Amino acid sequence: MLFTSYEFILFLCIVIGLYYTIPKRFQWKLLLVASFVFYYFSGWSNLIYISVTIVSTYLVGVKLGNLDKQQKLYLKEHKESLTPEEKKAYKERIKVKRWRWLLLCLIFNLGILAVVKYTNFAIANINYIFTLFKMNELSFVNLILPMGISFYTFKTMGYIIDVCRGKYEPEKNIGKLALFVSFFPQLIQGPISRFDDLSKSLYEEHHFDAKNFAFGFQRVLWGYFKKLVIADRIVAAVLEITKNPETYDGIFVLVGMIYYAIQLYADFTGGIDITIGIAQMLGITVTENFNRPFFSKSITEYWRRWHITMGTWFRDYIFYPLSVCKPMLNISKSSRKRFGEEIGKRIPVYLSTITVWFTTGLWHGASWNFIVWGLLNGVVILVSQEFEPLYAKFHERFNVANTFGFKLFQVIRTFLLMSSLRILDCYRDVGVSFRMFGSMFTKLNINELFNGSLLKLGLDVSDYVVIIIGVIIMISVSLVQRSGSVREKIAGKPVIIRYAVFVLLFFSIIVFGAYGIGFDSNQFIYNQF
Amino acid sequence: MRKKKIISFVILILAVFTLGWLLQKLLMPKYMTKIVEGALISEYYDEKNKDHDVIFIGDCEVYENFSPITLWEKYGITSYIRGSAQQLIWHSYYILEDTLKYEKPDVVVFSVLSMMYDKPQKEAYNRMSIDGLPLSLTKIKMAKASMLPEEDLITYVFPLLRFHSRWNELSEEDFKYWFKKDKIAHNGYLMRVDVKPASSFPKPRKLADYRFGDICYDYLDKIVKLCKDNDIELVLLKAPSLYPHWYDEWDAQIVDYAKKNDLLYINMLDHLEQIGLDFSTDTYDAGLHLNLSGAEKCSVFLGKILKEKFNLADKRQDENLKAIWQEKIDAYYKMKEEQYKELEEYGYLLKFNLKRAEEDNRLQ
């Protein structure tokens, strides 16, 4: 059930209608049922996968909680009789047990993700090696990737790691944990919420709040506007360019890069707006996932503002633990000895960064283009970090850092840099991506932009008008957002203006949205991850 | 404060519905200058006097081949053709069900050619058959029965959701006919006076299976039941079109069905001489459909049978009806005259030769 389908809108109306009419204590139960019904529409077998993940996470969570209790009780009972060394030894034993359970849970859940998502990728690579040695190839397996598995698996991993770390108590009610994992608005494309961020508002009773509801509804509409009016309209040109690399090289690669950046932004942020808006209509607060990323002045800043929950997840659960783990500390020690303080201290950071970006790439998709994309992001971030002193000197000398022109230059540079890296996502093939990127410099012919070719990409003049106006509105909203919530600002206007904005937005989606017969129904890009 | 909020919210809802309705009216195809057959279904609901002796249901085999005006002029029979382009049997059933909400005719004439299709064919034809109906349970059932996999039921409830993308192809026609449409047909008859003599058709290809689909029989049974329940005589009719080929095997099935259900079946292809049809002058597209001359001849032939068989009264002396029908007759002959004039001037009818008219720059 896609967010853009009529079925989903009907489903949502029913859920919201029931949500505010049933007794408040049943609200979270209704959401749980609704989430499973929603997920059932993506295939009943998917329910098995998610249920297994929920049950395993729940059981290990309870076990970790019991171990914690057991430790506390034991230490309390033997407070007087145990020496500090014995206490330490006991704690260490429990800790080992806890880590074993955690590891079991992580391997199990990650194993499910790995099997369904990466088996064929692994087979393809093994086959490549086999062909080199003229060996018989392995057959691919027919596994359907459950929708949103990467998102919910990461949610459960974050939860169980935090429980193991003692950040919070494990959830005792399996139904409540199941709702946290499967909450339908964010099930298939995030944000990857943390249990302590989401659980409270997810389980508490909610009274109908007209303002909150209206704000949520407005955000949902804004999401649909971005998705249907902009992303699903421009996608025709993106596909035309990227599916025909032999025809569209040179300047068209740049055009495709920019179009894809617009599509991806409108698609993903649109989807997240719908998610957060629906949650808000239900009185639930979901973590923000974007903070005007295209206004970033560096790639590091971009990654702090784009897909925030994924970035912080990798930071908290991979980068930090990896940076301080024993083997890494050993590497740090020996590299300092071997290469000196200056270089030696960088090596663990490099290794952690590259590992994080490798896994980020792998998380996005089981193919080399995503892995290379991830690694390139890591390399660019490390290189820019290395250039920091040079930038500092430049700013010291020229004092342009605070000028509008230089900031604009930085924003455009970051946009183009990120768009260049995304070529790997567009063409989905490493070789083709590099070749097409190269063609931007070797076959550049700007005249091609003015000979009518842009109108042969599946977009006519009216499509361009809609896209340009849509993008201008999107940029304007982002600019206004810098000084506070746009919805709050609109809410402060006279009722006639408020309603006019709402009606205009609503009918812009209805009339200018690229949906229905004649348009390919596009699922959200991040649904596939 | 609360009262004020409620009032403003109600105003907002009303504004949304009004604007939606206006946009829907604007963006829906008008079928006034192009593909005019799309306007046939909705015209019925503008009729002031919905009381007819005979209702025709079917596809182009009825709306191109029979003239209610001739039936009135010759026999005093009041009739209306509820047909549209490629109207499939389930369309016909629901259109009849909808018609019976307004009137109870004595006779229903159903064109059996649509028995050859047991699956929805094209979305465009669905839209032409269904969009013209006012919103009702019948319309929803009709849409559900007709939809192709890519269609959505809600677009038949709110056609704006289907036609929203026409915003960039709006023409003068859309604004001109935004709220009021011209009458295209004459009690459902789509007039054409041009002539294109029949030539040879490709030899009919052999079919793997000649049996009509089960779903067609189901709907035919439903039509029979609907008529019986409403005390209406049902006539099965095959119009005298030369193409698509009417196979003997098909004919035998209808003969058999009519016999079993005690229905009158008229295959007009068996009576071409009696009707007096001349396919060198009575067809506008080489035998697929009849022109005005052919339609009038068919109407004379069929009217006689209907009158005799079902004892239909001659209502030409009814003062009330006389006035109503005189208006229709005037419009009929006016259009006839205009079409002949157009033929004389351009050599073809503009509305029905869009490509040619566009090339000749003769379309408004």
Side-chain angles (χ1 to χ4, degrees), chain A residues 6 462 499 507 510-511 513 515, chain B residues 8 16 20 152 161 164 167-168:
Chain A
Y6 297 119
S462 58
Y499 284 0
F507 282 109
I510 297 287
V511 175
Y515 63 90
Chain B
S8 60
V16 167
D152 279 298
L161 297 175
H164 66 97
W167 63 269
N168 59 357

Side-chain angles (χ1 to χ4, degrees), chain B residues 65-67 70-71 74-75 268 274-275 293-306:
Chain B
N65 294 348
F66 298 95
S67 163
T70 306
L71 287 172
K74 189 86 181 154
Y75 304 107
M268 292 176 77
Q274 224 179 321
I275 299 165
S293 157
E296 287 182 343
K297 286 177 185 173
C298 284
S299 306
V300 171
F301 173 81
L302 182 67
K304 189 168 182 284
I305 296 174
L306 295 179

Side-chain angles (χ1 to χ4, degrees), chain B residues 226-325:
Chain B
L226 193 60
C227 289
K228 272 192 182 148
D229 290 349
N230 286 279
D231 205 17
I232 297 167
E233 298 287 352
L234 177 66
V235 175
L236 305 180
L237 177 91
K238 172 66 191 86
S241 298
L242 300 180
Y243 193 87
H245 182 75
W246 184 249
Y247 294 92
D248 290 342
E249 292 83 350
W250 288 354
D251 195 60
Q253 287 176 71
I254 299 296
V255 169
D256 191 37
Y257 187 89
K259 210 172 176 182
K260 272 186 195 153
N261 290 278
D262 196 21
L263 301 171
L264 173 63
Y265 169 48
I266 308 166
N267 180 354
M268 292 176 77
L269 285 165
D270 295 340
H271 306 280
L272 294 180
E273 258 182 51
Q274 224 179 321
I275 299 165
L277 275 181
D278 178 353
F279 278 96
S280 64
T281 57
D282 294 335
T283 166
Y284 69 79
D285 56 1
L288 274 77
H289 305 97
L290 301 179
N291 58 19
L292 178 66
S293 157
E296 287 182 343
K297 286 177 185 173
C298 284
S299 306
V300 171
F301 173 81
L302 182 67
K304 189 168 182 284
I305 296 174
L306 295 179
K307 194 165 176 63
E308 286 170 359
K309 183 90 184 163
F310 302 111
N311 230 354
L312 299 177
D314 184 345
K315 295 177 176 167
R316 278 175 291 185
Q317 298 314 313
D318 182 319
E319 286 306 317
N320 202 12
L321 285 175
K322 213 170 157 183
I324 292 169
W325 280 85

Side-chain angles (χ1 to χ4, degrees), chain A residues 274 307 348 434:
Chain A
I274 295 171
H307 207 345
F434 280 109

Side-chain angles (χ1 to χ4, degrees), chain B residues 146-174:
Chain B
S146 314
M147 284 189 311
L148 289 152
E150 64 268 27
E151 292 188 79
D152 279 298
L153 185 63
I154 195 164
T155 65
Y156 286 97
V157 180
F158 301 110
L160 173 62
L161 297 175
R162 170 63 187 94
F163 295 111
H164 66 97
S165 55
R166 283 193 72 243
W167 63 269
N168 59 357
E169 53 189 64
L170 287 178
S171 65
E172 209 184 311
E173 182 195 33
D174 291 292

Side-chain angles (χ1 to χ4, degrees), chain A residues 234 237-239 241-242 248-265 294 302 412-427 433-434 436-441 444 454 457:
Chain A
I234 205 168
V238 174
L239 291 177
I241 292 171
T242 55
Y248 298 106
D249 52 14
I251 191 74
F252 287 104
V253 180
L254 179 67
V255 171
M257 255 167 57
I258 294 170
Y259 284 9
Y260 183 64
I262 296 169
Q263 186 210 339
L264 184 65
Y265 176 81
F294 285 169
Y302 171 87
I412 294 171
R413 180 196 60 188
T414 308
F415 175 80
L416 289 175
L417 189 58
M418 288 314 301
S419 301
S420 304
L421 293 177
R422 256 186 244 112
I423 280 189
L424 286 149
D425 187 8
C426 291
Y427 290 99
S433 300
F434 280 109
M436 297 324 290
F437 185 74
S439 81
M440 272 201 295
F441 304 98
L444 189 71
L454 288 179
L457 300 174

Side-chain angles (χ1 to χ4, degrees), chain A residues 6-7 233 460 462-463 465-466 495 499 502-503 506-507 509-519, chain B residues 5 8-9 11-12 15-17 19-20 23 27 123 150-152 154-155 160-162 164-165 167-168:
Chain A
Y6 297 119
E7 291 81 10
R233 192 168 289 276
D460 60 21
S462 58
D463 291 317
V465 171
V466 171
V495 71
Y499 284 0
F502 163 78
V503 169
F506 179 75
F507 282 109
I509 299 163
I510 297 287
V511 175
F512 301 118
Y515 63 90
I517 291 175
F519 298 98
Chain B
K5 269 189 176 171
S8 60
F9 182 72
I11 291 171
L12 172 71
V16 167
F17 274 96
L19 203 57
L23 279 170
L27 290 166
E123 192 240 355
E150 64 268 27
E151 292 188 79
D152 279 298
I154 195 164
T155 65
L160 173 62
L161 297 175
R162 170 63 187 94
H164 66 97
S165 55
W167 63 269
N168 59 357

